[in-house]
Amino acid sequence: MNILVTGGAGFIGSHTVVELLEAGHNAIIIDDFRNSTPSVIDNIEKITGKRPTLYKIDCNNTTELSAVFRKEKIDGVIHFAADKAVGESVKNPLKYYKNNIGGLVSVTEVMKEHNCNTLVFSSSCTVYGNPEVVPVSESASIQPAHSPYGYTKQVCERLIQDVYTSDNSFKASILRYFNPIGAHPSGLIGELPIGTPNNLVPYITQTAIGIREELTVFGNDYNTPDGSCIRDYIHVVDLAKAHVKALEKLSHSEHILDIFNIGTGNGASVYDIIKTFEKVTDSKLNYKVGKRREGDVERVYADNKKAIQELNWKPKYTIDDALMHAWNWEQNIRK
Ligand code: UFG
């Protein structure tokens, strides 16, 4: 299949392009590199031996997007292009409404214009808020969003449901990611946070390599076994493979709207991640305990049975693998 990947040079996008190419599909990337670099394309080619087609455009630009659809025969779209910093979304909500909601409106509009009816959308476990029951399943209720970022994911999910209801040919898969970490085992692609990282693992690797002085554990007084928050950390390559499986399922289905949790099914605390990092890298991490971070939920991890059963997918990497790969990547980019 010819798959358009918006945000295909980003962290999850680039790993998904690799998996698409390795599964025998063609990938057409659109990315404006606001949060990524063009060298990612060279590295995708180094890993796969295939060079994805690239268009440097903003997916809010429907004229340019439409031209891509006219030129390429697009069978389906994986839509990643979006902003994802929770704190920034509180300070600059319009950016999130424009890029996250506006971007999806543009992409869906142009898809309809060109009779492309297959969409895989990157959503987030943030839609569950602080879940009453863990592991959280897809049928858990959607909680009021804590941030404009989280709200844009909810609106995008609703938009997809409304388009599905209005159009008998439309097929979509909404993937609710838990916490993606790690990097490609080749060390050629990975996460490139701009400025100070918000997320735990890039903060750890940057501390270990000496860019940051110390990690702060955001709270050790939660009602969890070691007092720190619990998350479901999934290797980005496993997450990327789930997109290919979701797409392939859509290609064999008629009018359908799928929603899948993409996580490992296991919870790990902040201290678990620190200890595992120290173990796999045989080093000591400089860290201190600080205050709770506003908006953090105490524990969330996935019930991933639906994805395992219906997508013929299973996460294969461990947290040890993911942290080792993240560390290799951090060392490679600082050479
Ligand atoms: N943490 C620290 N110190 C840090 C960074 C994070 O202790 O310097 C802790 C957080 O408090 C949290 C855990 O590490 O307990 C994970 O934090 P991340 O920022 O890596 O990830 P989040 O779970 O907060 O965020 C993720 C996605 C968001 C999404 C959110 C929904 O990155 O896009 O889940 O819950 F919105």
Side-chain angles (χ1 to χ4, degrees):
M1 289 189 279
N2 286 343
I3 306 302
L4 184 79
V5 185
T6 73
F11 176 42
I12 307 171
S14 58
H15 288 82
T16 301
V17 169
V18 166
E19 296 306 318
L20 282 169
L21 296 172
E22 290 189 337
H25 301 292
N26 290 323
I28 298 108
I29 295 179
I30 68 166
D31 205 299
D32 63 3
F33 299 117
R34 78 178 69 175
N35 241 334
S36 55
T37 60
S39 61
V40 169
I41 311 298
D42 299 331
N43 289 336
I44 291 174
E45 187 177 7
K46 278 187 201 145
I47 296 170
T48 63
K50 296 175 197 161
R51 193 166 183 87
T53 311
L54 169 72
Y55 293 90
K56 186 175 179 293
I57 61 173
D58 174 347
C59 59
N60 272 309
N61 186 331
T62 47
T63 311
E64 288 183 358
L65 198 56
S66 199
V68 174
F69 273 79
R70 259 196 306 282
K71 189 138 181 255
E72 312 282 347
K73 196 199 146 296
I74 306 291
D75 298 305
V77 176
I78 307 183
H79 181 53
F80 290 107
D83 290 314
K84 59 168 190 175
V86 176
E88 184 195 45
S89 79
V90 176
K91 294 200 184 87
N92 192 354
L94 290 179
K95 181 178 174 195
Y96 282 72
Y97 282 84
K98 184 170 176 201
N99 292 336
N100 295 8
I101 300 175
L104 179 62
V105 170
S106 302
V107 168
T108 319
E109 214 171 52
V110 175
M111 283 174 69
K112 282 177 85 69
E113 192 184 307
H114 294 270
N115 297 318
C116 174
N117 60 5
T118 302
L119 175 68
V120 176
F121 177 69
S122 59
S123 189
S124 164
C125 68
T126 192
V127 299
Y128 299 122
N130 209 346
E132 275 158 28
V133 180
V134 283
V136 63
S137 80
E138 291 84 351
S139 57
S141 59
I142 301 296
Q143 300 292 332
H146 282 291
S147 68
Y149 161 78
Y151 187 59
T152 63
K153 289 294 172 192
Q154 296 186 356
V155 174
C156 287
E157 288 202 3
R158 178 61 198 262
L159 184 155
I160 291 167
Q161 281 164 13
D162 290 342
V163 174
Y164 166 79
T165 306
S166 72
D167 178 347
N168 284 336
S169 69
F170 191 69
K171 311 188 246 188
S173 196
I174 293 171
L175 304 186
R176 292 178 178 159
Y177 311 155
F178 283 69
N179 289 55
I181 60 166
H184 196 268
S186 64
L188 287 166
I189 54 172
E191 196 169 2
L192 276 175
I194 293 172
T196 310
N198 294 308
N199 297 117
L200 179 62
V201 171
Y203 209 105
I204 288 179
T205 55
Q206 289 196 9
T207 305
I209 211 150
I211 298 174
R212 310 279 152 208
E213 205 178 312
E214 64 182 349
L215 170 79
T216 303
V217 175
F218 294 143
N220 67 351
D221 56 352
Y222 286 96
N223 186 20
T224 58
D226 65 21
S228 66
C229 290
I230 292 178
R231 296 286 182 275
D232 186 335
Y233 296 92
I234 178 156
H235 196 295
V236 64
V237 171
D238 283 327
L239 176 60
K241 285 180 195 290
H243 292 77
V244 181
K245 296 287 190 181
L247 199 65
E248 289 171 349
K249 178 172 183 241
L250 292 181
S251 76
H252 297 124
S253 311
E254 299 297 321
H255 186 49
I256 187 170
L257 176 58
D258 279 333
I259 300 182
F260 293 113
N261 280 344
I262 307 296
T264 64
N266 299 312
S269 72
V270 176
Y271 284 121
D272 289 334
I273 297 294
I274 294 172
K275 281 191 217 128
T276 309
F277 182 81
E278 291 183 330
K279 181 186 80 184
V280 299
T281 58
D282 194 20
S283 64
K284 280 269 156 238
L285 190 74
N286 197 16
Y287 68 88
K288 65 169 186 205
V289 176
K291 284 197 305 230
R292 292 183 177 197
R293 182 172 68 177
E294 209 183 317
D296 272 345
V297 302
E298 186 166 274
R299 73 178 82 202
V300 58
Y301 54 96
D303 176 337
N304 61 3
K305 285 198 271 315
K306 189 175 172 216
I308 289 174
Q309 280 160 12
E310 295 185 28
L311 291 181
N312 183 28
W313 164 88
K314 208 173 172 192
K316 83 168 198 202
Y317 289 106
T318 61
I319 289 185
D320 293 42
D321 298 328
L323 293 175
M324 198 63 234
H325 294 154
W327 179 231
N328 287 342
W329 164 248
E330 185 72 58
Q331 290 173 296
N332 281 351
I333 52 176
R334 306 299 164 194
K335 271 180 192 158

